[in-house]
Amino acid sequence: MIREINLVSGGGKFGGNFVPETLKKPIEDLEILFNKLKKDKNFISERDKYFKNWVGTPTRFIKLENLSKYVGGAQIWSKVVSDANGGAHKIYNATVHCLLAKRAGKKIICGDTGAGYAGKMLSMAAKKFGLKCKIFMGAKDIDRQQPNVKAMKKNGAEVIPVYSGSQTLVDAVSECMRFWVANCDTTAMCVGSTVGPAIFVRICGWSTSQISRELKIQLLDEFGSIPKKLKLYNCVGGGSSSFGFWNEFMDYDKKQCEFIGVEAGGPAKSKKHAAPLTYGSKIGILHGAAQYVNQNSEGQIEETESISAGLDYPGISPLHCFLKDTKRARYTAASDEEALEAFKLVTKFEKLRPSLEPSHAFSVAIKESKKLNKDTIVVVNSCGDAYKDRSILRKRLGKKYVKSN
Ligand SMILES: *Cc1c(COP(=O)(O)O)cnc(C)c1O
């Protein structure tokens, strides 16, 4: 990972460790552990074993023939990451954090969650590896995300409501870090995306890179070589699925292999959005790292709005800030309505039910594919399954689009 060096050395203007003094020691311990284990053959084979037998890799790489025919331009393919245990990519990072916690001799793992998916996956992994699990969640989020709260509790996790500030994700992260500082002898911490202090960005990116490792092999299998015109579309919230989807292709020229990140533009009629890269947000500090972040003129973090809970985050991974500034990746946004339209199209033509997050990526991929020809291979990371979105789909599109399983 080229970008990693830049971030960790502090040479870049993004990332870093803007944390209170008391967090320095546990962060340093985790850095030492990770630096050692990521080169350790036993640890890698342990990771691979659980990825294969428990997460369920490799996930499928499929051609969306009917959709491609309908669009009539580029070939549209999908990497079906929602095949993974739990129905989304967050399981990779959660699994690796639990394996690290075991190696460090910790008994408890704590984590933050907004919509509840990071918490749900962490509770699954903690249960699997015999760790006690504490999930910090804003009181407001607990109210509006009851199914995920129930799932976490069913997995044996303790869900701790956070009543400070806006009572949402931002405050949950702060509270989780506070708990970690006071209990780091017994407790490990997991951050749910490629965000937070530098070490958490690295561990998460290292974990989700499984996606592009698989895709590379699958492309070679299918085409005999990496296609001459390849375009990789991914939705971007914190940026962990997209970074993992692209990382193995970082060294290819962007004319051969282009990366397109699709942020959440929010409702068409609203000024609020979750697209700091697309709409030119300024650099600020959020959760211990420098990044582009939605903020007002006084630097206060601004509220976001999006139909997809997974993308509803005011900041963005420092890795993506770097990829934007160096122009290695291109970023754009899709609105709530455009994501819903794309969901309708994909489910009409294919046996694939992308959640609302990847539906944002499908929206842009479909639009751009129309203007290309079939020499171009478009791949969309279908990183989540729509089952979790059933209540919102029922409300917005009607019963016809909801399946019971
Ligand atoms: C959390 C989530 C996202 C957004 O997070 P990234 O770190 O940007 O990947 C996207 N899709 C799904 C299904 C999610 O659960």
Side-chain angles (χ1 to χ4, degrees):
M1 285 197 240
I2 344 161
R3 297 129 324 272
E4 187 176 298
I5 298 158
N6 205 332
L7 290 165
V8 173
S9 67
K13 55 181 171 174
F14 305 112
N17 281 300
F18 296 88
V19 294
E21 204 54 42
T22 41
L23 264 181
K24 297 236 155 105
K25 176 76 170 74
I27 282 181
E28 200 181 287
D29 290 345
L30 184 58
E31 273 169 358
I32 292 168
L33 179 74
F34 179 64
N35 287 341
K36 193 177 96 196
L37 289 180
K38 77 176 189 140
K39 288 182 285 196
D40 179 337
K41 284 204 187 83
N42 289 331
F43 185 72
I44 305 272
S45 64
E46 196 184 3
R47 176 200 68 179
D48 290 346
K49 182 181 90 182
Y50 286 111
F51 275 7
K52 181 159 174 263
N53 297 334
W54 188 63
V55 173
T57 61
T59 58
R60 284 171 299 156
F61 172 58
I62 57 171
K63 183 168 185 192
L64 305 182
E65 285 196 22
N66 295 337
L67 183 67
S68 300
K69 213 174 275 170
Y70 166 79
V71 170
Q75 291 185 41
I76 306 177
W77 293 67
S78 182
K79 176 80 176 136
V80 191
V81 170
S82 61
D83 283 348
N85 196 2
H89 61 281
K90 287 195 175 74
I91 197 70
Y92 298 106
N93 184 47
T95 302
V96 167
H97 270 287
C98 286
L99 290 175
L100 289 170
K102 294 290 273 189
R103 290 292 182 115
K106 311 284 179 183
K107 302 275 181 277
I108 306 168
I109 191 155
C110 65
D112 55 84
T113 197
Y117 300 112
K120 189 173 148 188
M121 301 286 186
L122 186 60
S123 71
M124 280 171 61
K127 186 178 172 190
K128 167 77 183 169
F129 295 104
L131 292 160
K132 258 179 86 175
C133 182
K134 286 180 189 281
I135 302 293
F136 290 83
M137 190 170 184
K140 211 188 213 172
D141 289 334
I142 290 185
D143 262 356
R144 54 185 178 185
Q145 308 289 345
Q146 270 302 314
N148 283 337
V149 175
K150 284 203 187 99
M152 285 182 259
K153 288 186 176 163
K154 211 174 134 209
N155 289 333
E158 184 188 349
V159 180
I160 300 156
V162 176
Y163 295 103
S164 56
S166 62
Q167 310 195 1
T168 61
L169 178 64
V170 181
D171 315 290
V173 178
S174 313
E175 200 56 40
C176 185
M177 285 184 173
R178 236 169 269 146
F179 178 83
W180 190 42
V181 175
N183 299 279
C184 57
D185 289 346
T186 55
T187 305
M189 182 172 82
C190 172
V191 178
S193 183
T194 37
V195 298
I199 183 61
F200 292 97
V201 175
R202 289 176 58 207
I203 293 174
C204 185
W206 187 79
S207 308
T208 54
S209 292
Q210 172 69 18
I211 303 169
S212 52
R213 269 197 302 277
E214 290 172 18
L215 178 61
K216 201 170 199 180
I217 296 167
Q218 289 166 325
L219 283 169
L220 291 173
D221 247 19
E222 192 63 46
F223 301 104
S225 63
I226 301 300
K228 287 274 171 317
K229 288 181 201 160
L230 179 66
K231 292 184 188 288
L232 305 181
Y233 290 81
N234 206 124
C235 61
V236 180
S240 65
S241 51
S242 42
F243 180 77
F245 187 50
W246 299 341
N247 193 27
E248 278 290 318
F249 301 93
M250 228 27 108
D251 296 331
Y252 286 79
D253 191 286
K254 71 176 174 196
K255 283 198 193 108
Q256 176 175 8
C257 180
E258 194 187 9
F259 305 150
I260 302 95
V262 183
E263 297 184 300
K269 287 207 178 88
S270 170
K271 279 211 166 66
K272 285 192 207 155
H273 59 82
L277 295 181
T278 305
Y279 296 125
S281 297
K282 292 208 176 73
I283 297 174
I285 309 282
L286 179 61
H287 297 147
Q291 62 201 269
Y292 291 116
V293 51
N294 293 353
Q295 55 192 293
N296 67 17
S297 55
E298 283 157 11
Q300 295 293 339
I301 304 301
E302 234 157 19
E303 248 184 68
T304 52
E305 193 173 352
S306 167
I307 193 170
S308 62
L311 302 181
D312 214 347
Y313 185 68
I316 169 74
S317 175
L319 295 165
H320 288 284
C321 299
F322 182 80
L323 291 173
K324 178 188 155 96
D325 272 21
T326 55
K327 299 198 166 63
R328 179 62 188 90
R330 166 163 68 86
Y331 295 89
T332 179
S335 68
D336 289 3
E337 292 78 6
E338 286 169 323
L340 285 167
E341 279 310 305
F343 173 80
K344 283 198 326 203
L345 266 185
V346 174
T347 51
K348 179 175 173 193
F349 288 107
E350 302 292 341
K351 196 173 173 289
L352 180 70
R353 296 176 58 77
S355 69
L356 286 166
E357 293 85 5
S359 293
H360 285 72
F362 271 109
S363 167
V364 175
I366 288 168
K367 246 176 245 153
E368 296 187 356
S369 291
K370 283 183 189 154
K371 297 174 215 141
L372 301 164
N373 62 37
K374 62 178 191 306
D375 299 345
T376 303
I377 309 300
V378 159
V379 189
V380 184
N381 181 1
S382 194
C383 57
D385 184 89
Y387 182 66
K388 72 175 181 60
D389 295 323
R390 60 201 178 282
S391 66
I392 197 156
L393 288 169
R394 186 179 300 118
K395 212 183 288 166
R396 295 292 292 263
L397 301 177
K399 256 202 341 237
K400 193 174 133 205
Y401 287 93
V402 183
K403 269 198 185 156
S404 54
N405 61 3

